[in-house]
Every structure is written in structure tokens, then in C-alpha cells.
Amino acid sequence: MAAGGFCKLPNGSVVVALNLPSPGSGSGSVRVLVLAQNRARALTRLRNLGLRAVYLRGNAAPPTPDEVTAVLHHPDGLIWRTAPENATELSQELWHPIRALLRQRTAHS
């Protein structure tokens, strides 16, 4: 089961954050952020992109304020980066548009 969480913004929209297994041949996981009107729509956006087995159970790993800022400033409202190995370390990697993850996924299939 993927770790994840959400936070509701003052305008009523929701930012959902999920740690998913890396689609490439390498081990590890990626942190995906989605901006949507509600949690169900956020998960539907991911499923429509081909990430079928995506579920959000609980709120164990909600998005940080920096993550919320990053997804709000991206035109697609859907970004990812490699997740750190443990929850206490911060990732220095920049955020990528979801297209880059999907290209990586199809290249390894």
C-alpha cells in the first residue's frame, strides 16, 4: 500500500500526495502530487494516466507546505520526484511534470 495524504486548501480544492513504486527498473519510490477539486478527482486523474492501482487510505503522509506551493505553481497541477529513502531526509531533486514519469514508464515496459 502506498503512503499518502492530502490537505484541503482555503478555496476548497485539495492537494493529494502519494508515494508510489518507481515505474522504472530501479527500486525505490516516487512522490506524486495532484491538485484537484476533491480527493476522488485527484485519484481519477492518476488512474486516467494509466496508474490504475492508486488508492488513498488515511492521511499518514500529507503534503508539506513546500509541496503544496510546488503543485500550485505548476500549470498541470500534477508533478513528481523521487521520494527520499526515509521520511526524515529532504529531497534535493526538482519537481518534474507527470509526462516525464509516463515516458520513463513506457520506455521500461
Side-chain angles (χ1 to χ4, degrees):
M1 178 173 21
F6 68 95
C7 69
K8 193 164 186 166
L9 302 176
N11 67 357
S13 61
V14 173
V15 175
V16 173
L18 293 166
N19 287 359
L20 302 173
S22 180
S25 59
S27 62
S29 61
V30 294
R31 179 88 164 162
V32 178
L33 298 175
V34 184
L35 175 65
Q37 291 301 316
N38 56 47
R39 286 179 283 172
R41 284 189 181 180
L43 296 176
T44 299
R45 287 186 74 188
L46 291 172
R47 290 180 187 131
N48 287 343
L49 292 170
L51 303 171
R52 299 285 181 214
V54 176
Y55 297 97
L56 179 63
R57 293 195 169 87
N59 200 15
T64 64
D66 289 339
E67 291 175 332
V68 171
T69 301
V71 77
L72 285 174
H73 285 88
H74 194 273
D76 293 337
L78 189 53
I79 55 177
W80 71 278
R81 72 175 172 195
T82 306
E85 290 299 320
N86 57 34
T88 58
E89 65 181 70
L90 298 173
S91 178
Q92 299 300 319
E93 182 180 0
L94 297 176
W95 291 98
H96 308 283
I98 198 70
R99 291 181 304 277
L101 182 66
L102 297 176
R103 269 194 308 263
Q104 187 180 50
R105 187 171 153 232
T106 56
H108 289 93
S109 294

